[in-house]
Amino acid sequence: QQQVKQSPQSLIVQKGGISIINCAYENTAFDYFPWYQQFPGKGPALLIAIRPDVSEKKEGRFTISFNKSAKQFSLHIMDSQPGDSATYFCAASGATGRRALTFGSGTRLQVQP
Amino acid sequence: SAVISQKPSRDICQRGTSLTIQCQVDSQVTMMFWYRQQPGQSLTLIATANQGSEATYESGFVIDKFPISRPNLTFSTLTVSNMSPEDSSIYLCSVDQPSGSPDTQYFGPGTRLTVL
């Protein structure tokens, strides 16, 4: 049973636009929510992460919004650039003391010039 | 962040053979993880490897098929045994950040395995 649901599966955005990717989780014991960026042929790279004690975290053009009551979190990429074209994965950890990550299904982002 | 290397980066293997993948970290880390990423799919945890203890496997993964070694705090190996085409995947190791947030995980570049 998938514990982290991610949408959309794919996303096309124009250069300069805002990319939004959403995730929802089921297990309320999760307490750490990272986002990873993966380019073809590369391992996932940590982009930004949040804990449930804050509702938003911003690093440069990347922002995580977190809604604890709805058990949802999202990634916003402002001023999207062609170089942002990659696959993005949300993840969660912390359930029952586990530190291994449970990943969403991934979103393939394409930013058109 | 920790620098993680994996060997080999890719390999093409015959059905029924075994391949051992190495993961080397440039600093000591407590926990190492092995994930599988099937073509076009997300990452699935295979096992957690702690130094000095048996690896802990996730449901659907068994030690006979994916034996893991963790001889020290900077190195681990994953063996894919008796391979079949269904084992064709990218295999990734990851580690906890040795300092700072213990929940932060960093990934190696992956080993792309093709089984014929």
Side-chain angles (χ1 to χ4, degrees):
Chain A
Q1 180 181 6
Q2 184 181 11
Q3 294 185 316
V4 180
K5 295 183 179 181
Q6 183 172 346
S7 63
Q9 184 176 3
S10 63
L11 181 62
I12 299 175
V13 174
Q14 296 297 315
K15 178 182 177 180
I18 302 174
S19 304
I20 301 174
I21 305 171
N22 301 298
C23 283
Y25 62 98
E26 300 169 0
N27 194 329
T28 56
F30 285 139
D31 64 0
Y32 178 70
F33 304 89
W35 284 89
Y36 286 84
Q37 178 189 58
Q38 186 177 33
F39 292 103
K42 304 292 185 181
L46 180 65
L47 198 58
I48 187 172
I50 198 168
R51 292 192 176 276
D53 54 346
V54 297
S55 60
E56 185 175 283
K57 183 175 181 179
K58 182 177 181 180
E59 292 183 0
R61 296 185 295 109
F62 301 93
T63 300
I64 298 179
S65 297
F66 186 85
N67 186 329
K68 186 175 181 178
S69 61
K71 294 187 287 185
Q72 295 175 348
F73 59 109
S74 60
L75 175 69
H76 292 64
I77 305 175
M78 312 299 289
D79 187 27
S80 298
Q81 299 296 312
D84 297 329
S85 298
T87 300
Y88 292 80
F89 292 97
C90 63
S93 70
T96 62
R98 281 166 55 91
R99 289 155 67 174
L101 293 167
T102 298
F103 282 86
S105 55
T107 296
R108 179 170 291 186
L109 171 65
Q110 181 180 349
V111 181
Q112 295 184 334
Chain B
S1 63
V3 177
I4 306 166
S5 60
Q6 288 186 231
K7 291 182 180 179
S9 59
R10 59 177 62 229
D11 207 342
I12 301 174
C13 300
Q14 296 296 318
R15 179 195 301 260
T17 62
S18 298
L19 177 71
T20 295
I21 301 168
Q22 299 179 5
C23 179
Q24 179 74 54
V25 190
D26 69 341
S27 55
Q28 294 184 340
V29 294
T30 303
M31 302 186 76
M32 297 180 77
F33 306 89
W34 287 97
Y35 291 82
R36 181 175 73 182
Q37 186 175 26
Q38 294 178 302
Q41 301 298 314
S42 185
L43 287 80
T44 301
L45 180 68
I46 297 173
T48 301
N50 291 334
Q51 192 267 337
S53 63
E54 293 286 330
T56 303
Y57 289 83
E58 296 299 298
S59 176
F61 297 96
V62 295
I63 187 171
D64 290 345
K65 175 67 176 178
F66 298 101
I68 288 172
S69 76
R70 181 80 200 274
N72 56 52
L73 292 175
T74 64
F75 186 78
S76 178
T77 67
L78 169 75
T79 298
V80 186
S81 303
N82 188 25
M83 288 183 286
S84 67
E86 292 71 36
D87 295 319
S88 297
S89 293
I90 300 172
Y91 292 86
L92 296 139
C93 70
S94 72
V95 304
D96 273 352
Q97 171 73 339
S99 61
S101 169
D103 293 312
T104 301
Q105 284 189 30
Y106 293 90
F107 284 81
T111 296
R112 183 179 297 270
L113 171 62
T114 301
V115 184
L116 302 178

